[in-house]
Amino acid sequence: MSGHSKWSTIKHKKAARDAKRGKLFTKLIKEITVAARMGGGDINSNPRLRTAVTTARAQSMPSDNIDRAIKKGTGELEGVTYEEIQYEGYGPGGAAIIAQVLTDNKNRTVSEIRRLFTKHGGNLGETGSVSWMFDKKGVITVEKSQVAEDHLMDVVLDAGAEDVRDEEEIFEVITQPEDFSTVKDRLDREKITVASAQVTLVPKNTVDVDAKNVEQILKLTEELEDHDDVQNVSANFNIPAELMEKAS
């Protein structure tokens, strides 16, 4: 078991807040719609759609919402056409940041994303400038109150997970993308409640943020995640525990 970033706990708390105010559902519906448009509406033959639906169900999205989003993607219902874009750049202190976006207005979105980077001491880079620092992984989070560490490790490693990381209030289960659904299904069968589940970009290594950049980089990542067109934010920074306490 290994830990990698205090930011994992911050993201977990923020996701819980977003779920309560419906913001998370809006982003999940976008992803389901795009996945269905690109690969069809059958979750058995469309891995991306299967992952999106699994993620939505993990957040207790009603089946009617999921079905409507799929039908909008396949054209059975009228819907907006979204373009998928990945923006890459550096935050204050040199941390690598990737914002994965679904937008119906590329020019508007790139302008707003660039403004956020600049506002908080970062800079938007070219495509490919930082993506090499990340791997695509399945990430499933489980609150520590839900399960004992040893039991969780036995279950998920047997199901094909790569690692379990201790991130303060949560455990992060890391999988290869192709093993994501299998591990998530196994947790469901074991009646272990999942807090979140998604295929995302995980940093290969992390860089520590110094005291002068902590507040700025937290504001940058939070404002990026709050942007209506941003589906997910990945970053490779780590906030040392002593600085995290001051920032909390």
Side-chain angles (χ1 to χ4, degrees):
M1 176 175 287
S2 60
H4 80 283
S5 174
K6 301 292 180 184
W7 192 43
S8 298
T9 301
I10 298 169
K11 280 174 68 74
H12 172 66
K13 290 177 179 177
K14 184 180 181 304
R17 294 198 304 271
D18 285 350
K20 287 180 181 178
R21 63 176 187 255
K23 196 178 189 78
L24 184 61
F25 275 16
T26 301
K27 297 191 176 191
L28 291 171
I29 286 169
K30 272 190 181 182
E31 172 61 18
I32 292 168
T33 301
V34 170
R37 189 190 78 215
M38 295 179 67
D42 182 358
I43 63 171
N44 294 314
S45 60
N46 184 343
R48 178 171 175 176
L49 179 61
R50 184 166 61 250
T51 296
V53 170
T54 296
T55 303
R57 287 173 177 162
Q59 299 299 332
S60 302
M61 181 182 286
S63 295
D64 286 350
N65 295 38
I66 294 172
D67 291 341
R68 279 197 301 272
I70 292 173
K71 288 178 179 178
K72 286 180 179 179
T74 58
E76 295 173 68
L77 294 176
E78 186 177 349
V80 177
T81 298
Y82 297 107
E83 185 175 359
E84 189 173 21
I85 311 168
Q86 182 166 290
Y87 294 111
E88 305 177 27
Y90 289 93
I97 299 174
I98 296 177
Q100 294 170 299
V101 164
L102 291 176
T103 179
D104 60 354
N105 187 328
K106 179 180 178 179
N107 291 335
R108 177 200 68 215
T109 301
V110 69
S111 174
E112 292 173 354
I113 298 297
R114 181 177 288 108
R115 180 183 62 80
L116 289 177
F117 270 90
T118 303
K119 174 184 174 184
H120 296 295
N123 61 283
L124 192 62
E126 298 294 326
T127 300
S129 58
V130 304
S131 57
W132 57 274
M133 302 182 195
F134 296 79
D135 290 320
K136 183 176 282 189
K137 300 284 186 180
V139 180
I140 303 168
T141 63
V142 179
E143 293 182 356
K144 289 186 175 179
S145 60
Q146 295 295 320
V147 64
E149 176 183 321
D150 289 346
H151 180 53
L152 177 65
M153 290 188 70
D154 287 345
V155 168
V156 299
L157 294 179
D158 182 64
E162 283 188 351
D163 192 15
V164 178
R165 297 172 175 175
D166 186 333
E167 300 291 354
E168 294 188 356
E169 299 173 14
I170 58 173
F171 294 120
E172 274 191 347
V173 179
I174 309 298
T175 78
Q176 286 292 332
E178 59 269 23
D179 297 324
F180 172 76
S181 294
T182 300
V183 175
K184 171 64 172 57
D185 290 346
R186 179 67 176 274
L187 287 166
D188 290 343
R189 289 200 302 274
E190 295 287 335
K191 294 184 168 40
I192 297 173
T193 302
V194 168
S196 66
Q198 63 178 333
V199 175
T200 186
L201 296 173
V202 174
K204 297 176 183 178
N205 297 291
T206 58
V207 295
D208 283 351
V209 178
D210 57 30
K212 68 178 182 179
N213 290 313
V214 168
E215 185 176 357
Q216 282 280 72
I217 202 161
L218 288 176
K219 284 182 177 178
L220 171 56
T221 51
E222 181 156 355
E223 288 191 26
L224 284 171
E225 288 191 319
D226 276 340
H227 192 285
D228 288 342
D229 295 335
V230 175
Q231 292 294 101
N232 186 57
V233 176
S234 300
N236 74 344
F237 68 83
N238 176 66
I239 301 175
E242 64 274 13
L243 297 181
M244 192 67 249
E245 290 173 5
K246 294 177 183 179
S248 299

